[in-house]
């Protein structure tokens, strides 16, 4: 029995939900704390997407619950990216809480960040293989990376728990593995364990009311059951089965370290009006690989935003945007010439097609749009210079040359907003490993209440 109180550490845990799950006989609390959803900045910088305050608030409930109930706590992909610095950041919050709460759990930290030299050696040994749409990994791409992480499976969590860990703080991990670890360790079927982990990965997202707390899973040899922690929430066969579509290109197959989850024959049955039982899941074991993620620094950006309500412009947006973009590019080249370097101007009309980027076919013109100009250049100073060159044309550009100059709405002053450096995901590859432990380092930390310090022991 595993309690998954939240889909992402720092998103908010309710005490009553956590207590209800633990009172039901839970063997562990497990959850994810990371993602690539918000882009590469977290991995490139090592900084968490969520605030320290929010993460500490959730961890305070979890650390206290671990001490009270004596069940292990597992957190995967600490600090959003799961790089070593992000794991240490989370560990330090837990150590701070241990001092505040007066508890001394045995804490394991799992590190899966890979050095550039190690990955370069793997390339030479032909142990690195691309995932679509990327091709063969070139050494210069690796050398650009600020941080490289390998996504862990359940094995490091199991090893830490068997070595007496009360709290396991993991580096980058597949969302599924951190939840499947304890069921696998306790002898549950591989298919049900992996499938339950997948369905519970985002907490309440597999329920009727996704923001109403997390879930509890009960994993057996050939089945699992799942229900919400909130008494007012429900799981249905539809909400549970639909989660196989979440962040997955195939609704029946899910590659994981060491194999593939196959739910082609899965059956979803309502146990009652709140819980669902799932049978028929299989895990097909295969070669052990770990996905590599790497982030590199990119160019710099400055943005400007205007609001447009001019009905004539809005009735012919495509022509307007095409003409404006050509005019802005021409103006920058005229003023700066070669000094502009390699630059890009992107117009994104929010309220039209800024999200999809696809042509709009049919339908009435929008009542208004927010037009965003993104200037990308080789330095922050240059991005700002280019934006200032564009400013009067962006603000006053008419639909037709003979029209009087309009004025659109700038919501901010100054209009130019410097975003700083951009970051890029540059790795989408897998690396062959002997097993799930080869690329992972395990450290133990035992808070010492009397000395106000911690004892470290390498595993």
């Amino acid at each position: 029995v595993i309690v998954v109180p939240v889909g992402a550490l720092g998103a908010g845990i309710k005490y009553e939900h956590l207590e209800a799950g633990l009172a039901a006989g839970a063997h562990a609390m497990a959850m994810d704390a990371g993602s690539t959803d918000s882009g590469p900045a977290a991995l490139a910088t090592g900084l968490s997407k969520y605030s320290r305050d929010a993460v500490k608030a959730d961890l305070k409930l979890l650390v206290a619950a671990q001490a009270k109930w004596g069940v292990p706590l597992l957190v995967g992909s600490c600090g959003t990216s799961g790089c070593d610095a992000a794991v240490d950041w989370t560990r330090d919050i837990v150590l701070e809480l241990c001092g505040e709460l007066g508890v001394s759990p045995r804490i394991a930290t799992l590190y899966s960040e890979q050095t550039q030299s190690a990955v370069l050696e793997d390339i030479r040994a032909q142990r690195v293989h691309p995932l679509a749409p990327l091709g063969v990994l070139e050494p210069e791409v690796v050398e650009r990376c600020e941080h490289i992480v390998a996504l862990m499976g359940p094995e490091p969590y199991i090893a830490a728990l068997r070595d007496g860990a009360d709290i396991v703080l993991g580096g980058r991990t597949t969302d599924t593995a951190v939840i499947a670890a304890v069921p696998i360790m306790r002898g549950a079927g591989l298919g049900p364990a992996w499938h339950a982990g997948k369905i519970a990965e985002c907490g309440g997202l597999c329920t009727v009311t996704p923001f109403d707390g997390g879930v509890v899973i009960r994993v057996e040899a050939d089945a699992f059951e799942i229900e919400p922690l909130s008494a007012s929430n429900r799981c249905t066969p539809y909400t549970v089965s639909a989660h196989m579509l979440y962040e997955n290109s195939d609704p029946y197959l899910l590659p994981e370290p060491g194999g593939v989850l196959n739910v082609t024959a899965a059956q979803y049955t309502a146990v009652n009006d709140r819980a669902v039982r799932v049978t028929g899941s299989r895990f097909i074991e295969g070669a052990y690989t770990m996905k590599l993620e790497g982030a590199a620094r990119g160019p710099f950006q400055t943005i400007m935003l205007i609001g447009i309500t001019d009905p004539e412009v809005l009735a012919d947006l495509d022509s307007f945007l095409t003409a404006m973009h050509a005019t802005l590019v021409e103006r920058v080249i005229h003023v700066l010439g070669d000094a502009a370097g390699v630059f890009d101007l992107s117009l994104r009309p929010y309220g039209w097609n800024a999200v999809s980027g696809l042509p709009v076919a049919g339908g009435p013109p929008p009542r208004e749009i927010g037009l965003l100009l993104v200037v990308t250049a080789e330095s922050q100073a240059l991005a700002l210079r280019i934006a200032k060159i564009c400013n009067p044309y962006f603000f006053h550009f008419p639909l037709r040359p003979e029209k009087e100059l309009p004025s659109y709405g700038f919501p901010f002053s100054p209009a130019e907003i410097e975003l700083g450096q951009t970051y890029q995901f540059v790795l989408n590859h897998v690396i062959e490993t002997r097993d799930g432990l080869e690329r992972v380092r395990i450290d133990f930390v035992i808070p010492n209440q009397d000395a106000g310090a911690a004892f470290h022991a390498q595993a």
Side-chain angles (χ1 to χ4, degrees):
V1 180
I2 310 299
V3 171
V4 185
V6 70
L9 183 70
I13 295 174
K14 293 185 178 180
Y15 171 81
E16 61 271 23
H17 293 171
L18 186 60
E19 287 287 297
L22 291 166
H27 298 99
M29 299 171 283
M31 70 218 68
D32 179 46
S35 176
T36 58
D37 290 356
S38 296
L43 180 56
T45 63
L47 301 177
S48 173
K49 166 186 174 179
Y50 293 110
S51 77
R52 191 180 193 278
D53 295 322
V55 171
K56 184 178 179 180
D58 280 359
L59 282 172
K60 186 173 184 177
L61 293 176
L62 294 166
V63 172
Q66 191 285 315
K68 174 182 177 180
W69 293 91
V71 300
L73 166 64
L74 286 69
V75 180
S77 297
C78 286
T80 307
S81 69
C83 70
D84 289 0
V87 175
D88 290 343
W89 178 79
T90 308
R91 176 206 62 199
D92 290 346
I93 296 174
V94 172
L95 290 174
E96 184 179 301
L97 285 167
C98 288
E100 294 174 4
L101 297 170
V103 297
S104 295
R106 182 172 168 84
I107 303 168
T109 48
L110 314 178
Y111 300 99
S112 65
E113 185 166 342
Q114 308 297 303
T115 64
Q116 290 182 358
S117 59
V119 176
L120 291 172
E121 175 57 33
D122 292 321
I123 292 175
R124 288 189 288 269
Q126 298 184 331
R127 289 191 292 263
V128 180
H129 309 289
L131 297 173
L134 297 187
V136 174
L137 181 57
E138 300 295 341
E140 54 266 28
V141 175
V142 174
E143 293 165 356
R144 289 179 53 209
C145 290
E146 297 294 318
H147 298 281
I148 301 171
V149 291
L151 275 68
M152 286 185 275
E155 292 83 1
Y157 292 88
I158 294 171
L161 292 172
R162 286 177 173 164
D163 209 0
D166 300 304
I167 297 176
V168 186
L169 305 175
R172 189 69 171 114
T173 309
T174 74
D175 299 353
T176 309
V178 67
I179 299 170
V182 170
I184 291 173
M185 182 181 74
R186 296 180 64 88
L190 290 178
W194 281 105
H195 195 180
K198 169 60 182 174
I199 300 303
E201 65 176 349
C202 292
L205 200 59
C206 63
T207 69
V208 171
T209 312
F211 286 105
D212 190 15
V215 294
V216 59
I217 54 175
R218 300 173 179 85
V219 190
E220 305 166 11
D222 56 2
F224 73 91
E225 292 185 4
I226 184 167
E227 67 176 300
L229 293 173
S230 170
S232 62
N233 202 356
R234 297 185 300 121
C235 284
T236 70
Y238 173 79
T239 64
V240 172
S241 61
H243 197 73
M244 279 301 300
L245 287 166
Y246 182 74
E247 296 181 336
N248 194 22
S249 60
D250 189 313
Y252 301 110
L253 302 176
L254 178 66
E256 291 283 349
V260 176
L261 171 64
N262 187 325
V263 302
T264 305
Q267 297 291 317
Y268 304 82
T269 306
V271 175
N272 49 45
D273 63 349
R274 298 186 63 252
V276 172
R277 183 175 179 83
V278 182
T279 58
S281 315
R282 294 187 301 137
F283 188 76
I284 304 169
E285 295 185 74
Y288 207 100
T289 59
M290 299 173 73
K291 183 175 180 287
L292 295 176
E293 293 173 350
R297 294 181 181 271
F300 295 78
Q301 290 182 331
T302 294
I303 62 173
M304 290 192 293
L305 178 68
I306 53 174
I308 300 177
T309 59
D310 186 315
E312 289 188 307
V313 169
L314 297 176
D316 195 7
L317 261 176
D318 289 340
S319 297
F320 173 78
L321 294 170
T322 299
M324 176 187 273
H325 185 269
T327 299
L328 294 178
V329 171
E330 180 181 356
R331 177 63 179 164
V332 171
I333 293 173
H334 175 75
V335 173
L336 293 180
D338 292 341
V342 178
F343 74 95
D344 180 74
L345 303 180
S346 175
L347 291 172
R348 305 178 188 181
Y350 282 90
W352 183 241
N353 70 342
V355 175
S356 69
L358 299 174
V360 178
R367 292 181 58 187
E368 63 179 44
I369 62 165
L371 183 58
L372 183 69
L373 172 64
V374 182
V375 179
T376 305
E378 296 171 355
S379 70
Q380 187 64 70
L382 187 55
L384 180 60
R385 288 172 66 191
I386 292 173
K388 285 179 174 291
I389 291 169
C390 292
N391 182 307
Y393 291 80
F394 185 58
F395 185 39
H396 293 297
F397 192 78
L399 177 62
R400 294 184 300 276
E402 66 273 14
K403 294 281 293 183
E404 293 182 0
L405 287 184
S407 292
Y408 306 120
F410 271 130
F412 306 110
S413 180
E416 302 84 11
I417 302 169
E418 297 179 84
L419 295 186
Q421 190 161 35
T422 63
Y423 306 96
Q424 303 166 332
F425 281 125
V426 294
L427 297 185
N428 190 40
H429 298 74
V430 295
I431 185 171
E432 298 174 6
T433 66
R434 291 192 303 271
D435 53 43
L437 297 173
E438 180 186 359
R439 296 303 179 117
V440 180
R441 306 174 310 283
I442 305 177
D443 189 17
F444 282 89
V445 184
I446 304 174
N448 186 324
Q449 292 177 230
D450 296 331
F455 169 75
H456 292 259
Q458 288 285 341

